[in-house]
Amino acid sequence: MSSRCWRRGAELLFAVLLCGLLQGAAVAAEEFDYGLVPRKLADDTWVLIGKTEDFNRSNGGNIVNTAFIVTTEGVVVIDSGPSRRYAQQMRRAIARVTEKPVIRVFNTHHHPDHFLGNQAFAGIPTAALAATIAGQREEGGAFTDNVYRLSGDWIKGTEPVPADEALRPGVQSIGGHELELISLSGHTSGDLVVLDRSTGVLFAGDLVFYQRAPTTPHASIAQWLAALDRLAAVPYRLLVPGHGDPVGDGRAIEQTRRYLVWLEDALRRAAERGDEMSELFGLAIPAEFAAIPLAREEFARSVAHLYRRYERETLRRSR
Ligand SMILES: [Zn+2]
């Protein structure tokens, strides 16, 4: 073998090895990477948009919208996401936008996709409504087990950390942003909505879903509809739903409202007919909602969560 030939051979081998190494590094870096890219919505205001999917092993629970506001005092985080790993990556995403430290976290409600990242914000005041903290304490362990079952190792090392401060509704001024904290209920027994009066952005939590079927494991539809009336009267410029794209008008509130009205009516009528729960699972979903991601799955879950209540009410009324 000539020395030139040998050198070319060695270069080739080196290139192949380097390529293999780089590929290995890329795989390692991609593993459990939520790919969080903040989208700027308004001055100082960023959102991380989740997929309109169920928890699964490829999305790792990145199915929720989280947000942050960069104030002059520091960063305010609204919802911490579905896992410790998500929140660690969220902190890195925030650090790519600003050097300011995170100074406060709000949890909009106690569902796992909105607060299981709290662990990665240890030492930072984390506030939620009292009902939310009670729910986090009571159900956080079961939620974590369930999410782990659905999303696997994305969730590894995640512990449920309840918010450490029960917040009072009202206005808080933080670093030049006037935040109105509004206490509502209906999706759960404690649903916090944050209106940034300085930018007009309304963080609606899961009281509003847009192009993603609403979830109802802790819902009171009557309270939820009343909450939507309150939200519709808020003078916002941009609404960030808990799931789905932000909108600048009332269509997300309206879609959620129409869905809930239909759902309640379907459950009530079925109860009045004396249908068995199993008969409801195949019920036709109106075209308006059938095309929304997870409509069939969430309807089936809602039947399981809520139908007994409607059966009992019908029985009571008929006595
Ligand atoms: Zn949610």
Side-chain angles (χ1 to χ4, degrees), residues 63-66 113-114 204-210 239-244:
I63 57 164
V64 57
N65 296 339
T66 61
D113 43 337
H114 299 262
D206 279 7
L207 286 172
V208 181
F209 284 70
Y210 186 54
L239 180 149
V240 182
H243 301 262

Side-chain angles (χ1 to χ4, degrees), residues 46-69:
W46 304 77
V47 65
L48 300 164
I49 302 282
K51 299 183 166 81
T52 49
E53 299 174 353
D54 265 332
F55 277 96
N56 64 39
R57 281 170 191 260
S58 52
N59 62 37
N62 182 13
I63 57 164
V64 57
N65 296 339
T66 61
F68 58 96
I69 304 168

